[in-house]
Every structure is written in C-alpha cells, then in structure tokens.
Amino acid sequence: MKTELLAMLRESGDFYSGQELCEHFGVSRTAIWKRIRQLQDEGYEIEAVKNKGYRLAACPDSIAADEVESRLESDWVVRPVHYFSVIDSTNNYCKRIAEDGAPEGSLVIADEQTAGKGRRGRKWETPPGTAVAFTLLLRPETVPPEKIAMVTLIMGLAVARAVRKLYGLDAGIKWPNDAVIGGKKLCGILTEMTTDLMSVSYVVIGTGINANVKSFPEELKDTATSLAVELGHDVVRSELIAEVVGSFEKFYKKFLQTCDLSLLQDEYNELLLNKDRTVRVLEPGNEYTGLALGIDKEGQLLVKREDGSVTAVYAGEVSVRGVYGYV
Ligand code: BTN
C-alpha cells in the first residue's frame, strides 16, 4: 500500500483527499495517516492540509525499495526489491539468493558497495549517496551458455537508451557494453553465469552507473564521467534505475524470442560509437587494426581488416580500443 500511495501522490502532483485515499485502499483515515507519517519519517515532504488532503512536495534522493518499486512499471521485476544501504557486492548477494531459489526478475540494489567488482578482477567503487549499483537475476532456461554474453550488450543498450530518454544526453555504446558520453565511460556491467551440466542455472547481471558522482580518482579522471558532471545537476537515482530496468526487460523479452539479437541489432548499431571507426583488436597473442562495421545478430563486432576480410570478434577475452582514444 505504501508504494502505491507514493506512486499516486507523485503522479497527481496535487492534493489527494483523505476520503479518496480511504476509498481507494478500503482502509480507515487513521491507516492512511499512519502511512503518510511513515513516508514523512523516511524524508518525503508531504503537506497535510485540512479539507484538501495530502500533497507530495518533495522526495528524498532515496533508492530504497519503496521508492524504486513505486516507479517501476514492470510486472516482471519481483517485489519486494532487495535494498541495502551497505553491502559487499550486489552481484555476490544476488548469487546467494539465486542459490536459495530466488526467481527470475529479482532485483538487488545498494547505496554503497564495500567490495564492488569490476571486470577482469578489478574493483568497482560505489560511493554512498551518489552512485547507482544494482543486479538483476535471470534464469533463461532456453538459452545455451554460449549465448549469455548477449545479455550484457542488452543491458548496455538499456542504459544508453534510458539516459537519452530521461536526460536528452547523447549517450552511446562502446562495444560490447560500456555506456559512454563524450568519449568517457558512464557505466560498467558485470555478468556472471552459473551452469548446471550443459545448461544455464542462473545469470546475475550487475550494473554500476556513475549517477551523481562529482569527482573521480586520478587514474579515471580522463576516461570516466557521470550524469551529474554532464548535466551540471544531480539526477533522481530511483527514476534512473526504474527506467533502465524497464528498458532491459523489453529488450530481454525480444532476445528470448529468437535467442539472439536479430530484433535488437539495428537499435544497438544506431548507438554503437565504434561503428565506422578504426579500432585496435587485442586478442591474446593476436593484435590487429580494422574498421568496425557494427555487430551481427550474435553480438559479435564485425571488423574489416586491411586485406578486405571481415572478422567477427567475440566479446569474451578480447578488448577493443579506439585508435584515437577510449572509443
Ligand atoms: C566494469 O568493470 O566495467 C564492470 C563494473 C560492474 C559494476 C557493477 S555495480 C553493481 C554490480 N555489483 C558488483 O559488484 N559489480 C556490478
């Protein structure tokens, strides 16, 4: 009831009479008042005016479960959302609940991670009150393990799309999955899969977005950016999480229809920053330069080499760099 009450007050933007709320929820005025007090205690500014009712005047920048749930338009995401003010890593927690049988669509969010994980064993910083870190649990029973890398590309696409829609920023994708603005990295994604004999048991897909982060350590200063830096003001993190998760759900359902990216390839290639640029492909024991043409339906980057042949590069251990900078 609290989540729905919050969503109703936010959507109306105006006063809701106590009577209307009582009728809607089928509860007493005291019950409504109790919920309003709880929300006020959590930092929501709610005006209560006699003969007018209640109006939501301001929201805290909370990413707690109620706030995110009240913004989610998805039926697929499992309620309650798992929220932590501090946790080691949302990916690690999500794996723990997956082992205990949590269903697909479970969502884990944290305001701070003490052992946030990046790709290739790196650390991922999640400073409290400013960053976005969340992990989704997937159980794609019909998808073979070798196709799972594609969900990471889908999440990159979802982040870039959400950022464009909510803030009008020119976000793109650096293959395979980094969301990038102005040549700098905005977001990182870490997908981890557990298999059971030859099939996928579960997949956790963790996303870290530099939302309201204002400064970066020396080694990242030239290659990382945040939404707050790009916009010159903070963003509402719960709105961002809800939009990214909603877009991901839509894309993921399309992926499940075909078990590949054939329904998403064009949309992905539109936002692919490497497209039509010269890239350096770094494979263990093999390095070469070529022109990136876009992805194929398996999510592989097609690179035209100097001799005219086209190589399909699989995400795995390969890294692709721009010849003139990060992209
Ligand atoms: C990268 O190195 O680019 C990937 C970074 C992934 C970070 C996210 S934050 C949420 C989730 N939990 C983790 O421990 N890592 C991922």
Side-chain angles (χ1 to χ4, degrees):
M1 169 176 157
K2 206 162 92 200
T3 337
E4 198 183 336
L5 175 60
L6 190 53
M8 285 169 74
L9 291 174
R10 187 185 304 110
E11 260 157 47
S12 119
D14 202 352
F15 282 94
Y16 243 115
S17 79
Q19 188 56 38
E20 266 178 292
L21 293 172
C22 291
E23 278 165 19
H24 179 87
F25 290 105
V27 296
S28 67
R29 275 175 182 264
T30 322
I32 295 288
W33 174 235
K34 262 195 184 160
R35 298 294 183 206
I36 296 281
R37 284 303 299 267
Q38 275 178 6
L39 287 169
Q40 287 171 330
D41 289 345
E42 286 166 25
Y44 293 90
E45 258 177 61
I46 300 175
E47 288 177 63
V49 177
K50 216 173 164 198
N51 297 327
K52 277 181 143 178
Y54 303 105
R55 188 179 81 89
L56 182 61
C59 298
D61 178 27
S62 160
I63 49 169
D66 282 338
E67 178 65 24
V68 174
E69 284 173 21
S70 73
R71 291 181 185 271
L72 280 171
E73 280 172 11
S74 158
D75 294 331
W76 174 77
V77 175
V78 176
R79 275 69 157 185
V81 164
H82 303 256
Y83 168 75
F84 297 90
S85 51
V86 186
I87 199 161
D88 53 347
S89 148
T90 53
N91 270 28
N92 287 352
Y93 182 81
C94 199
K95 286 199 265 184
R96 295 199 282 272
I97 60 171
E99 292 293 337
D100 291 342
E104 167 156 289
S106 297
L107 175 62
V108 182
I109 302 174
D111 189 47
E112 180 182 0
Q113 295 185 113
T114 52
K117 301 186 294 183
R119 274 177 299 164
R120 303 199 169 96
R122 292 194 204 109
K123 270 175 66 183
W124 182 265
E125 297 295 333
T126 311
T130 57
V132 158
F134 66 87
T135 300
L136 263 173
L137 173 60
L138 310 177
R139 293 190 182 275
E141 281 157 15
T142 53
V143 183
E146 66 275 13
K147 305 233 173 201
I148 290 300
M150 283 185 258
V151 298
T152 317
L153 276 73
I154 298 175
M155 184 57 93
L157 177 60
V159 173
R161 271 271 161 254
V163 166
R164 295 175 82 90
K165 177 174 167 192
L166 292 178
Y167 317 114
L169 289 169
D170 195 11
I173 305 165
K174 175 187 178 284
W175 186 83
N177 55 253
D178 284 349
V180 169
I181 302 179
K184 294 183 172 186
K185 176 163 164 163
L186 174 73
C187 152
I189 301 165
L190 178 68
T191 299
E192 299 179 79
M193 167 172 67
T194 300
T195 51
D196 180 5
L197 294 174
M198 297 304 283
S199 65
V200 176
S201 172
Y202 61 82
V203 174
V204 301
I205 173 157
T207 307
I209 307 176
N210 303 325
N212 296 332
V213 178
K214 306 288 187 314
S215 60
F216 293 94
E218 197 54 38
E219 67 276 15
L220 295 179
K221 245 176 41 200
D222 297 331
T223 51
T225 191
S226 73
L227 292 169
V229 166
E230 297 297 327
L231 290 165
H233 61 79
D234 281 357
V235 300
V236 178
R237 291 178 297 154
S238 53
E239 181 181 38
L240 175 62
I241 295 173
E243 185 63 39
V244 172
V245 171
S247 303
F248 177 82
E249 176 191 349
K250 275 187 232 128
F251 297 145
Y252 177 59
K253 285 181 174 163
K254 285 192 179 175
F255 163 71
L256 290 180
Q257 278 176 38
T258 57
C259 234
D260 64 25
L261 300 180
S262 41
L263 300 173
L264 297 164
Q265 189 180 350
D266 290 347
E267 180 153 8
Y268 182 98
N269 279 332
E270 257 172 48
L271 296 187
L272 181 64
L273 298 165
N274 311 94
K275 193 165 177 295
D276 303 324
R277 289 195 188 199
T278 306
V279 291
R280 182 110 192 113
V281 180
L282 312 169
E283 281 176 5
N286 188 21
E287 285 194 19
Y288 55 91
T289 301
L291 184 71
L293 303 176
I295 59 159
D296 63 11
K297 66 183 176 56
E298 299 292 319
Q300 303 177 107
L301 185 67
L302 301 174
V303 178
K304 188 168 179 190
R305 299 171 71 159
E306 272 148 19
D307 63 3
S309 64
V310 175
T311 305
V313 183
Y314 180 74
E317 282 304 296
V318 180
S319 114
V320 166
R321 303 235 181 293
V323 173
Y324 307 105
Y326 167 63
V327 176

